[in-house]
Each structure stands twice: as C-alpha cells, then as structure tokens.
Amino acid sequence: MKFATPLIEGRLVSRYKRFFADVELPGGEVVTAHCANTGAMAGIKDAGLKVWLSRADNPKRKLKFTWEVVEAQDTLIGTLPGRANELAEEAVQAGILTELTGYASLRREVKYGENSRIDLLLEHEDRPPCWVEVKNVHWMRQPGLAEFPDGVTSRGTKHLGELSAKAQAGERAVQLFIVQRSDCTRLRPADDTDPVYGEALRAAHKAGVEILAYRCEVTPAGIAITDPMSVELR
C-alpha cells in the first residue's frame, strides 16, 4: 500500500479526545490532525515522537491532516487500524498471505453474527467460505514480542465468539493479526490488559478458528505486509 501523496513529517505535541492530535511541523506551525485510532495507543502517543501526516484532498473536510505513522522504539509504526484491513485485502489478492490463497472472490464488510460485519469474506464454489477478522497490532513491551490488545476490547471478544460459531458450523474462520511494525517476530495476547480476550482467543483456537499473524514494513512512502509471525497461546 503506497500513500497517495508524500507524508508530512512533524513532532507530536499531544493526542487528546481520542480523535485529535496536535503536531508541530518543521517550520514551527502546530496543526491538528485526525487521529483515526480510538484505542489506547500504548507506547506510540508520547509527546515529542516523530510522526508523519497525510494531507486530505477533500476541501470540505474540517481537519486537513491524518496521523499515519509514528517513530517509536527505533522503528516506524503504522497508527491507523483501518489500514490493517486495506493491507490484508491487498496481501490476499497478491498471494502474500499463503494460508488464504485459492479463493475466487473477496468481499468486505459482509454482515454476520450478531450485528457484526466480517472484515474479509473469501469464497469459492468448491470450498467452504472463509471468514477473516482482522485486528491491528502496534504494541511491543518486550523486544520482538507484539501484544494485543493494549486495552479492554469487548468487541474483539465478541468477534471471536462469532468466528467460533462459523468454525463449528464447518466453515473456515480466521483471526488475522496485522502487526504494523517490522521489529516483532512473535505475537501473544496481552492477558494482563484484557484477560477475557486472552481466554476467548484460546477458546476460539480450540473451537477451530485459525490464528494468523503477519508483520509489516513501514516507511513514509507506504506500508506492506512482509512475513508471518509465530503466535503464542500458552
């Protein structure tokens, strides 16, 4: 995934009210950028961090900038959860996610479960459908170890239950973690942050849900999924 226009470098002043981030540009001007990440953003929202913004083309948009990338722990990290879905779709279509090849069609945001929409639905007339829930990951507390979630996610737990129901019905169900950083080689649930989610992830795996994780290479020019990661469920 290439950014449509070159990103603008700055320094984070503060992230506040969940959706806003003040950023100081090289000339000293402070702009308010849209922060399209409602999560805790643990470890990537500290004042002074180097960040990159995209500029919106829509003249009617109130906030002209969106916070896309941050440099933390000596690596570049994608900040937008919505990008994870785009990256997953792109990688499936390019055959990079080898576990998810061999399907004739891909649809996004298909209704399923209880008032939910699946991120990706892969279909082929000769195979059961494959329901893929995508989760964005950025958090690293130990070198090389990505963790999810960085805050309580009842919605994520609900999705695992819905995936489990699909697996038990004989269809294919996948929980796909997209780690928007390149310095992690393994992933595990952050049980101290949300033990309910950790239990649900292990239960879903026992019910037949496949757990996949892939890391990304992040640059100011674009983000791309690169390598599979091991998943630790102990």
Side-chain angles (χ1 to χ4, degrees), residues 9-14 22-31 51 53:
E9 184 179 323
R11 290 280 177 179
L12 182 64
V13 176
S14 66
D22 285 347
V23 176
E24 183 179 357
L25 302 183
E29 178 188 4
V30 175
V31 299
V51 300
L53 312 177

Side-chain angles (χ1 to χ4, degrees), residues 1 34 49 69 85 108 111 122-123 125 184 187 209 230:
M1 184 207 75
H34 182 215
L49 290 176
V69 174
N85 291 0
R108 291 182 59 173
K111 291 182 179 180
L122 309 179
E123 295 172 294
E125 61 180 7
C184 295
L187 176 142
V209 176
S230 62

Side-chain angles (χ1 to χ4, degrees), residues 118-133:
I118 196 69
D119 292 315
L120 303 176
L121 176 58
L122 309 179
E123 295 172 294
H124 193 288
E125 61 180 7
D126 297 329
R127 305 173 65 178
C130 179
W131 304 81
V132 183
E133 185 68 37

Side-chain angles (χ1 to χ4, degrees), residues 68-89:
E68 296 273 0
V69 174
V70 61
E71 183 177 12
Q73 299 171 309
D74 298 320
T75 194
L76 297 187
I77 303 165
T79 63
L80 300 189
R83 293 292 190 201
N85 291 0
E86 297 176 28
L87 289 163
E89 179 179 6

Side-chain angles (χ1 to χ4, degrees), residues 21-189:
D22 285 347
V23 176
E24 183 179 357
L25 302 183
E29 178 188 4
V30 175
V31 299
T32 299
H34 182 215
C35 178
N37 186 332
T38 60
M41 299 185 74
I44 61 171
K45 62 178 181 181
D46 298 336
L49 290 176
K50 186 184 292 187
V51 300
W52 284 263
L53 312 177
S54 60
R55 187 192 297 270
D57 293 329
N58 185 354
K60 296 182 180 180
R61 181 170 154 172
K62 183 176 181 181
L63 296 178
K64 302 302 181 184
F65 300 96
T66 298
W67 180 10
E68 296 273 0
V69 174
V70 61
E71 183 177 12
Q73 299 171 309
D74 298 320
T75 194
L76 297 187
I77 303 165
T79 63
L80 300 189
R83 293 292 190 201
N85 291 0
E86 297 176 28
L87 289 163
E89 179 179 6
E90 182 182 82
V92 168
Q93 293 177 334
I96 295 170
L97 304 184
T98 56
E99 300 92 340
L100 302 179
T101 58
Y103 291 91
S105 66
L106 180 155
R107 290 191 287 156
R108 291 182 59 173
E109 300 295 321
V110 177
K111 291 182 179 180
Y112 85 122
E114 185 178 344
N115 299 318
S116 294
R117 291 179 180 270
I118 196 69
D119 292 315
L120 303 176
L121 176 58
L122 309 179
E123 295 172 294
H124 193 288
E125 61 180 7
D126 297 329
R127 305 173 65 178
C130 179
W131 304 81
V132 183
E133 185 68 37
V134 180
K135 288 288 181 277
N136 178 68
V137 184
H138 72 268
W139 198 23
M140 184 185 79
R141 290 183 288 182
Q142 300 179 31
L145 177 63
E147 295 185 82
F148 181 89
D150 66 345
V152 174
T153 174
S154 56
R155 183 169 176 264
T157 299
K158 173 176 176 282
H159 289 158
L160 289 172
E162 291 167 336
L163 287 175
S164 297
K166 290 296 183 183
Q168 291 173 331
E171 300 182 359
R172 193 176 176 199
V174 177
Q175 175 60 69
L176 173 62
F177 294 100
I178 301 299
V179 181
Q180 287 198 63
R181 56 191 300 163
S182 63
D183 57 352
C184 295
T185 58
R186 52 201 176 96
L187 176 142
R188 74 180 178 201

Side-chain angles (χ1 to χ4, degrees), residues 14-25:
S14 66
R15 180 249 187 162
Y16 57 98
K17 295 183 180 179
R18 300 176 72 189
F19 297 105
F20 302 99
D22 285 347
V23 176
E24 183 179 357
L25 302 183

